[in-house]
């Protein structure tokens, strides 16, 4: 399944569909997170977050921040995780 999503990310990148690419990256991050690959999850969530920030989609940006915070917390960086989750909450309450 991850291979199909990797192919989708490449296709979306080629076509310039940033929102679709960000969603696919986030889904790959969730999959990596569930498998326990927190380093890959952090990378994928970070890429999704960068794409969600560009068009100003606050709800998706907040979701990516929360997912990233959850993965970072799982890696033991509690201060950074707290900051990310607080930023996620700020985005959600501003909607």
């Amino acid at each position: 399944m991850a291979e199909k999503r990797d192919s989708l990310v490449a296709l979306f990148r080629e076509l310039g569909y940033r929102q679709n690419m960000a969603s696919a990256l986030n889904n790959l991050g969730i999959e990596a997170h569930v498998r326990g690959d927190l380093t890959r999850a952090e990378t994928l969530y970070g890429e999704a977050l960068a794409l969600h920030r560009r068009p100003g989609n606050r709800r998706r940006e907040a979701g990516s921040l929360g997912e990233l915070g959850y993965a970072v917390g799982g890696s033991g960086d509690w201060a950074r995780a707290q900051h990310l989750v607080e930023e996620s909450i700020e985005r959600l309450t501003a909607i």
Side-chain angles (χ1 to χ4, degrees), residues 4-42:
K4 289 182 181 180
R5 285 198 195 107
D6 284 334
S7 296
L8 280 175
V9 170
L11 177 63
F12 293 147
R13 189 180 316 269
E14 181 181 321
L15 296 173
Y17 294 171
R18 289 193 330 223
Q19 288 292 19
N20 299 74
M21 187 169 59
S23 294
L25 287 165
N26 196 70
N27 288 337
L28 286 168
I30 291 169
E31 187 173 354
H33 197 160
V34 168
R35 285 193 333 266
D37 188 350
L38 298 178
T39 301
R40 179 160 166 74
E42 286 181 43

Side-chain angles (χ1 to χ4, degrees), residues 65 69 77-90:
L65 282 164
D77 189 347
W78 299 111
R80 182 168 171 237
Q82 180 179 354
H83 172 76
L84 290 164
V85 170
E86 286 173 353
E87 191 176 348
S88 175
I89 292 167
E90 287 174 15

Side-chain angles (χ1 to χ4, degrees), residues 45-63:
Y45 290 144
E47 289 180 38
L49 174 61
L51 290 167
H52 285 312
R53 281 189 165 155
R54 286 185 185 156
N57 187 332
R58 295 297 216 192
R59 187 174 308 279
R60 289 183 187 225
E61 179 183 354

